[in-house]
Amino acid sequence: ALALLGSTKVVLLADERFLKQIEPHLDRRHLLLSPSWSPVLLRRYILSLVPTEMRCSPRLMLRLEVELGTGPRLWMCQTENISESGMLVRTNQLLLVGAEVRVAIMLPTCEDSIKIKAEVVRHTNPDLETIRGVGLRFLELDGAEKAALREYLDMQDDSLAANRESGI
């Protein structure tokens, strides 16, 4: 079930062979989807039903220079988007989901880079996304660096600071 603008929607995935049996039991709260749709189409349609982004914090589409490191290896990348809790980084590097990486984000407002430990939580899907990269969730971000990141993100989008002040 999906909560949609205060009402509940029930999404059913049913084979066409059973439509005649199912239809008498459906009302406007129900959405009937077909398993004959491609997985990509089903995913896009279902995600379109969710009215808000299901993330810990809002993300901003910002391009920032980022240094990623695992073990002795380091490489430069660029963010696709970033939030207080993570970011999507453009990279062709093969990183395992669950791997911990060192991250250094270069903010234009800071003299030194912000250093963060992060976890790879996903790879981009070339069938659904136009970039190649990895999603990172921040694991360790100290108070001063967290405040610097928050301040920079607030400067880029005034609505983030307004939402934070109003408790949203």
Side-chain angles (χ1 to χ4, degrees):
L2 297 170
L4 296 176
L5 303 174
S7 64
T8 301
K9 243 345 164 186
V10 178
V11 178
L12 303 168
L13 186 62
D15 193 289
E16 286 82 5
R17 297 175 295 176
F18 303 108
L19 285 180
K20 289 202 185 322
Q21 296 167 320
I22 295 170
E23 284 178 338
H25 305 285
L26 302 180
D27 59 34
R28 60 187 196 128
R29 293 177 302 130
H30 298 91
L31 288 173
L32 191 57
L33 305 180
S34 171
S36 64
W37 292 6
S38 76
V40 171
L41 184 60
L42 280 170
R43 183 178 189 278
R44 283 185 184 156
Y45 186 78
I46 291 169
L47 288 176
S48 76
L49 299 173
V50 181
T52 58
E53 192 171 329
M54 305 295 284
R55 294 181 180 273
C56 297
S57 53
R59 61 184 163 167
L60 296 175
M61 306 304 279
L62 295 174
R63 301 277 195 275
L64 298 169
E65 288 185 24
V66 175
E67 182 181 270
L68 290 183
T70 58
R73 298 176 52 207
L74 290 174
W75 56 93
M76 293 302 295
C77 304
Q78 186 179 64
T79 61
E80 177 69 12
N81 62 61
I82 187 167
S83 73
E84 289 182 38
S85 59
M87 63 186 169
L88 180 61
V89 178
R90 290 175 172 262
T91 183
N92 291 326
Q93 298 297 322
L94 296 175
L95 298 167
L96 296 175
V97 170
E100 287 189 8
V101 295
R102 295 181 315 278
V103 177
I105 303 171
M106 287 59 153
L107 296 178
T109 54
C110 294
E111 191 173 308
D112 295 323
S113 62
I114 292 179
K115 303 209 178 7
I116 305 168
K117 186 191 294 184
E119 176 187 13
V120 176
V121 293
R122 75 177 193 95
H123 298 137
T124 55
N125 182 337
D127 293 334
L128 301 173
E129 298 166 284
T130 58
I131 69 153
R132 182 171 177 144
V134 294
L136 300 175
R137 179 176 56 93
F138 299 151
L139 298 175
E140 292 178 11
L141 183 58
D142 77 25
E145 291 182 330
K146 185 174 187 170
L149 179 59
R150 175 182 276 189
E151 182 179 321
Y152 179 75
L153 294 176
D154 285 350
M155 285 178 8
Q156 302 309 305
D157 185 353
D158 292 337
S159 66
L160 293 180
N163 287 345
R164 195 177 338 280
E165 288 170 12
S166 67
I168 297 177

